[in-house]
Amino acid sequence: MASTSGGVYAALTTERAGPTASDSPRDRRPGTGAGDPVNVATGGQVAPLRRIVPPDVLAVGAGSISAAKIKRIARLSRVKDVTAVAGGAVQLQGRQVNAFAVDPSSFRSWTPPGTAKRTELWEALAADRFVVSSAAAGQLQLTRGYRYPVVARTMPNLMMGGSGPLGLPGIDMLVSERSGGEMGLVPNVAVLVNAPGVSPAKVVKAVRKVLGPRTNVLNLHESRYRAGDGRSSGYLDLYKQAATTCPGLSWTVLAAIGQVESDHGRNAGRSSAGALGPMQFMPATWKAYGVDGDGDGKADIMNPFDAIPGAARYLCANGAGRGGKQLYNAVWHYNHADWYVQKVLNLARAYAARYA
């Protein structure tokens, strides 16, 4: 049977169915982040998007991955976020489609920024409608608002809630956790891992060691798994790409600031001083230096695809590309404290040594 995903995951089967350079982006003491986002959806409502968590590794098992193994992955060095989802191969419009069953409030953070921000898609999932990739919507000639039979262990008629880039190779359909349970999708068959600041290849090796040889573990940074525009979705690559916009600025400085400010997006909420996003900009400074890095027409302070190049732009305006005292001064402008500059530069040296 032909598959819209190209049969990437054999494990998914139906067997179990004009600014000045002196404005500081933030001025706050350490430890004032707003904490982790709320990821609970009740009554069909979807929690607001608090952050983007670019997945670095996707692992798909031959069956359910045990809770103990998922905890072992979460405890791996430098792993920051892990989420496990149910999945399986279903039939839709006579074609095989790989589906994930997800909690819309939490899973939206793991999708491409443009998709994550489309609240209507996640509200549709919360209402037990299904969402498909843009490619599947075209290939299967699906229409939003129409009901379609989905063949799994059961055959529910589900309404299409919308489509968009899902950012996961081989996965073309999302359903709610309730729908997935009724359809017999395999619980915890897949795990997404976010490990900023670490070589994805090393994470793949560590995850495969935990899960065993029957698990398909993918490095999502490989070119064959990137979006059609070639952009990466990982923080490490975002730091490297943003640094190229400021000749002379090392990506390690951006990575160090990202670690100090939000632990690479883990604590991107509003600080006590009002700073926001993964790079913790003050809104007024963001208005002057914000960048539309993902080309969606909006410079979003909460979006790492925008915030990281925005930080590079701000640092460059303060002379960071010239190195030495100018770099020190540029980082000092980011937060007016010598302890902050020393911490950032020490972390930058640590990143440089690790990736030398």
Side-chain angles (χ1 to χ4, degrees), residues 12-217:
L12 298 185
T13 72
T14 54
E15 291 178 4
R16 295 186 60 186
T20 62
S22 60
D23 300 322
S24 175
R26 27 90 69 211
D27 185 12
R28 61 184 179 91
R29 297 180 183 274
T32 55
D36 290 335
V38 176
N39 286 329
V40 179
T42 58
Q45 298 299 310
V46 178
L49 180 65
R50 301 295 188 190
R51 58 175 179 161
I52 299 293
V53 186
D56 298 303
V57 170
L58 170 63
V60 181
S64 293
I65 299 171
S66 70
K69 289 185 176 181
I70 294 170
K71 288 181 180 178
R72 285 178 61 189
I73 293 172
R75 290 196 295 265
L76 290 173
S77 177
R78 305 296 295 173
V79 166
K80 295 299 183 182
D81 288 277
V82 173
T83 189
V85 296
V90 302
Q91 291 182 40
L92 179 64
Q93 294 286 77
R95 299 279 295 277
Q96 181 175 304
V97 178
N98 289 331
F100 277 171
V102 302
D103 169 14
S105 288
S106 59
F107 192 78
R108 68 187 299 188
S109 299
W110 292 85
T111 60
T115 303
K117 290 185 289 186
R118 291 180 57 190
T119 300
E120 73 277 7
L121 292 180
W122 307 104
E123 289 179 342
L125 274 175
D128 294 322
R129 301 177 183 181
F130 70 87
V131 170
V132 294
S133 67
S134 302
Q139 292 173 21
L140 302 181
Q141 298 182 354
L142 301 172
T143 302
R144 183 174 177 269
Y146 281 71
R147 289 189 176 274
Y148 298 90
V150 181
V151 182
R153 287 181 63 186
T154 60
M155 193 172 68
N157 285 306
L158 299 181
M159 183 178 292
M160 180 187 171
S163 64
L166 302 183
L168 298 172
I171 305 302
D172 286 302
M173 185 179 188
L174 301 180
V175 298
S176 69
E177 290 180 320
R178 182 167 68 176
S179 294
E182 293 175 349
M183 293 159 58
L185 299 187
V186 182
N188 292 348
V189 74
V191 175
L192 285 165
V193 182
N194 168 251
V198 183
S199 167
K202 292 182 179 179
V203 182
V204 167
K205 184 177 180 180
V207 171
R208 186 174 286 122
K209 184 176 180 180
V210 171
L211 298 181
R214 295 186 64 197
T215 304
N216 193 10
V217 186

Side-chain angles (χ1 to χ4, degrees), residues 274-347:
L276 284 168
M279 302 304 279
Q280 289 289 284
F281 272 93
M282 293 296 289
T285 308
W286 179 254
K287 186 175 181 180
Y289 291 95
V291 172
D292 176 17
D294 60 3
D296 66 353
K298 179 183 178 182
D300 185 350
I301 196 172
M302 300 299 295
N303 182 348
F305 288 74
D306 297 345
I308 293 173
R313 181 186 180 193
Y314 176 80
L315 290 167
C316 209
N318 283 284
R322 295 192 288 273
K325 291 183 179 180
Q326 291 293 331
L327 174 60
Y328 190 102
N329 181 65
V331 177
W332 184 88
H333 276 296
Y334 210 95
N335 181 23
H336 300 160
D338 288 316
W339 67 262
Y340 177 88
V341 179
Q342 293 163 11
K343 184 172 185 177
V344 165
L345 295 182
N346 284 335
L347 280 172

